[in-house]
Amino acid sequence: MTDAIRYHVLNKGNASQLLGADVFDNAVDDLQLATFLDDPGHELVFATVRDKVVGFASGNVLLHPDKQPAFFINEVGVNADMRRRGIGTSLCECLIEIARDRGCKGIWLATEMENEAARALYRGIGGRETEHIVVYDWDGAMDP
């Protein structure tokens, strides 16, 4: 019998579960976490097994004066030993549902061409892969 995977929408009541999680690129910073929680345009969902965070997906609502709200999926991460169990799929589907519930009319993300696993995940949940997109960044925004 395997341990159950539980899914959570981040809120002030469960935010402390992210502290010490090793699924992020860096350690979760208390101040950044509080700022994230205080901004109503940000969303994060996460998965746990027992009390260990094993995956997350985050994004934010993009507003513009002449367009309907859109949603940018910023990051998706699942611990290496927990991959290929549907966690990434469930997290993305949950985040997309949240975006749609918030009235977002477009949902998008970007990933590296060589990231075949991520591309397969996004195609598998109905994402349309676009071509001929060039990304520019400033101040190291795209650095690993």
Side-chain angles (χ1 to χ4, degrees):
M1 182 173 175
T2 61
D3 291 315
I5 300 165
R6 299 190 192 289
Y7 296 92
H8 317 268
V9 176
L10 179 66
N11 59 50
K12 290 182 180 184
N14 63 20
S16 65
Q17 288 184 265
L18 300 185
L19 300 173
D22 62 359
V23 71
F24 298 97
D25 293 333
N26 302 294
V28 172
D29 177 273
D30 289 332
L31 180 59
Q32 287 300 107
L33 179 58
T35 303
F36 187 97
L37 285 163
D38 286 341
D39 187 321
H42 287 82
E43 297 288 352
L44 187 142
V45 293
F46 63 100
T48 58
V49 172
R50 297 185 187 168
D51 288 327
K52 178 181 169 58
V53 176
V54 297
F56 79 98
S58 65
N60 57 293
V61 177
L62 302 173
L63 300 175
H64 201 270
D66 69 331
K67 296 174 181 68
Q68 293 293 315
F71 194 85
F72 174 66
I73 298 175
N74 185 44
E75 197 166 352
V76 178
V78 176
N79 283 355
D81 62 335
M82 296 298 293
R83 292 181 184 153
R84 303 197 54 79
R85 298 181 190 197
I87 295 170
T89 296
S90 293
L91 289 167
C92 287
E93 289 173 341
C94 182
L95 200 57
I96 289 167
E97 182 179 327
I98 289 169
R100 288 177 176 151
D101 287 348
R102 292 191 63 170
C104 294
K105 301 300 180 196
I107 301 163
W108 66 283
L109 59 79
T111 193
E112 300 82 7
M113 287 296 294
E114 66 274 5
N115 192 340
E116 291 295 332
R119 291 172 65 197
L121 166 63
Y122 305 139
R123 282 190 305 265
I125 59 173
R128 177 184 60 170
E129 190 168 292
T130 58
E131 296 180 16
H132 310 296
I133 300 292
V134 179
V135 176
Y136 296 88
D137 76 292
W138 287 260
D139 301 329
M142 300 302 289
D143 292 350

